Amino acid sequence: MTESSVHPALWPAPHATGTVDATVTVPGSKSVTNRALVLAALAAEPGWLRRPLRSRDTLLMAEALRAMGVGIEEGVGPDGSGETWRVIPAGLHGPTTVDVGNAGTVMRFLPPVAALADGPIRFDGDPRSYERPLTGVIDALRVLGARIDDEGRGSLPMTVHGSGALDGGPVAIDASSSSQFVSALLLSAPRFNQGVEVRHTGARLPSMPHIRMTVDMLRAVGAQVDEPETGGEPNVWRVSHSALLGRDLTIEPDLSNAQPFLAAALVTGGRVTIPDWPERTTQPGDALREIFTAMGGSCELTERGLTFTGSGRIHGIDVDLGEVGELTPGIAAVAALADSPSTLSGVAHLRLHETDRLAALTKEINGLGGDVTETADGLHIRPRPLHGGTFHTYDDHRMATAGSIIGLAVPGVEIENVATTAKTLPDFPQMWTGMLGA
């Protein structure tokens, strides 16, 4: 059975006929899984990843590392606790080609790893990957001693000519278009001969929680990191040369992928529980507790997980999403159903994500009768009565889930290419209909 027969080109978004009352188990975090894979591949000893996310982005990362010589064995953990990947570090080598798909973590985190390999590593991917910014990583690696052939594009496709080691040292970059530029250099830095000092020189740095995630995970495997959050110099991160430890790591649920399910409680005035919501986390999705509460719900975090309850009303919000930009599509979808206008700001960098998310949200919500306008760094949303129609996704998983949220309240919404959710949430259509009791 083909993917298109399972998820037709136009997927009728389920319309909620009552309040949602469900428990939804969300798979592991893509951001944590892909960082953990890189760190385990660079470690001095084998490590275990328990409950990793199996999605397009994480499988692309795993296959890329395998192509460079890393052993990744998939199976059940030694204690029978569910799916576990054993990562066995090995000498990194080429020649090989890495398919990044349209995964920002793969296209940005792996060129520094490739610089440590012995031999050429070619990077290629989906057509959209050619349009996504990569200059920050390319220029930084050249300063640190790497040889890269990108034919002057500053983007994919390109070849990293690994020499088996990298000098490292200080480097200044403008990471205002993606915090992944900083994380990319930090993750491999313990293996650089001089470590690294990364200095951000541009405008506001977006998605800071993801950099905090990188720093926390580096420290957990034995790296020494000096960073602004712990009294270091502003916009400067230093990682010392050191060996990395193999870890036995359980991957947290992906809190950003919990967003549509929490939104369902808000939209329908119902209740949704997400098991295993961590008490402390660096995931940007944790901000949903505060944001969705301000929009009309309430939440309770217990040993069972996070239970979010809608009040039956949705309020508009004026919020700076600069640190949690990936949540913007879902928040915009909820805001289009609110009882008052919303302004979402601080997210100009979303124009460079899987698609231009600001333009896409404006076009698709307005296509259903909405009133959304782009601002310099975000969206202004004035709620209007919406009607059915086609909601295009532009091969962007978060556009697909945003359209599905609107479909709960608006009959006749059809999602074009819902299968794109496989990027980070492979079973989304089944999970969505299951939540509704269908």
Side-chain angles (χ1 to χ4, degrees):
M1 183 177 289
T2 66
E3 184 178 62
S4 61
S5 66
V6 177
H7 307 309
L10 289 180
W11 182 65
H15 177 60
T17 57
T19 59
V20 168
D21 189 353
T23 296
V24 180
T25 299
V26 177
S29 163
K30 181 241 345 188
S31 297
V32 175
T33 299
N34 274 359
R35 283 166 172 78
L37 280 170
V38 172
L39 292 172
L42 296 175
E45 56 193 353
W48 296 90
L49 274 62
R50 301 179 188 272
R51 294 171 57 183
L53 174 67
R54 286 186 62 87
S55 72
R56 187 185 186 213
D57 278 16
T58 60
L59 293 176
L60 284 167
M61 179 68 85
E63 285 306 310
L65 290 169
R66 286 188 180 112
M68 286 190 265
V70 178
I72 301 176
E73 300 173 351
E74 302 180 31
V76 176
D79 59 356
S81 59
E83 181 161 8
T84 300
W85 294 354
R86 185 171 186 245
V87 183
I88 306 165
L92 301 169
H93 60 79
T96 192
T97 296
V98 166
D99 176 11
V100 310
N102 191 18
T105 51
V106 182
M107 72 178 72
R108 292 163 182 154
F109 292 178
L110 287 189
V113 177
L116 298 167
D118 185 6
I121 311 291
R122 177 173 170 80
F123 288 84
D124 208 339
D126 297 353
R128 172 62 179 174
S129 72
Y130 295 6
E131 303 171 14
R132 300 186 67 182
L134 202 56
T135 305
V137 173
I138 293 172
D139 290 351
L141 286 175
R142 284 175 172 148
V143 169
L144 298 174
R147 184 162 71 92
I148 299 174
D149 177 13
D150 67 336
E151 298 181 358
R153 286 182 298 265
S155 63
L156 297 180
M158 69 178 189
T159 299
V160 179
H161 296 273
S163 59
L166 195 67
D167 290 339
V171 63
I173 62 172
D174 180 354
S176 55
S177 62
S178 176
S179 69
Q180 289 176 352
F181 294 169
V182 174
S183 288
L185 298 170
L186 299 185
L187 286 167
S188 293
R191 291 281 301 272
F192 299 169
N193 293 335
Q194 302 173 43
V196 81
E197 176 188 279
V198 179
R199 183 178 300 271
H200 167 60
T201 59
R204 177 182 178 179
L205 190 60
S207 304
M208 279 297 297
H210 278 131
I211 297 180
R212 296 184 195 114
M213 178 187 294
T214 298
V215 169
D216 281 2
M217 293 183 69
L218 275 163
R219 287 173 172 160
V221 295
Q224 179 180 334
V225 186
D226 295 324
E227 45 102 18
E229 295 288 313
T230 53
E233 188 177 349
N235 290 324
V236 177
W237 292 261
R238 297 181 179 90
V239 179
S240 303
H241 172 77
S242 68
L244 298 179
L245 306 174
R247 279 286 313 275
D248 188 333
L249 176 67
T250 299
I251 306 297
E252 297 175 353
D254 194 314
L255 306 188
S256 294
N257 276 341
Q259 181 182 38
F261 305 101
L262 299 180
L266 190 55
V267 169
T268 68
R271 178 176 60 190
V272 169
T273 297
I274 308 293
D276 302 318
W277 194 286
E279 187 173 336
R280 177 189 173 275
T281 181
T282 51
Q283 288 193 60
D286 195 45
L288 290 167
R289 291 194 286 165
E290 180 180 351
I291 294 168
F292 277 172
T293 295
M295 296 186 79
S298 61
C299 64
E300 182 183 15
L301 184 59
T302 66
E303 291 182 358
R304 184 177 173 216
L306 180 75
T307 297
F308 188 85
T309 305
S311 63
R313 294 189 64 184
I314 304 171
H315 307 308
I317 192 170
D318 187 340
V319 60
D320 185 331
L321 299 175
E323 291 210 343
V324 294
E326 66 192 50
L327 304 179
T328 302
I331 293 170
V334 173
L337 304 170
D339 59 12
S340 57
S342 295
T343 298
L344 314 182
S345 60
V347 288
H349 61 286
L350 294 191
R351 294 186 170 99
L352 301 170
H353 275 216
E354 281 80 347
T355 187
D356 179 341
R357 285 179 171 166
L358 300 185
L361 287 164
T362 300
K363 184 175 187 298
E364 297 309 312
I365 295 175
N366 289 352
L368 302 180
D371 185 359
V372 181
T373 55
E374 284 192 57
T375 65
D377 70 339
L379 300 172
H380 186 61
I381 303 168
R382 290 165 290 273
R384 296 284 187 271
L386 301 181
H387 54 73
T390 300
F391 195 95
H392 298 90
T393 63
Y394 309 90
D395 294 323
D396 186 335
H397 57 134
R398 301 210 190 278
M399 287 297 295
T401 53
S404 301
I405 292 168
I406 293 174
L408 289 173
V410 180
V413 174
E414 293 186 310
I415 310 299
E416 173 263 336
N417 188 20
V418 73
T420 194
T421 53
K423 178 179 170 67
T424 60
L425 195 56
D427 297 325
F428 172 74
Q430 296 90 333
M431 293 173 68
W432 196 246
T433 54
M435 172 193 69
L436 294 170

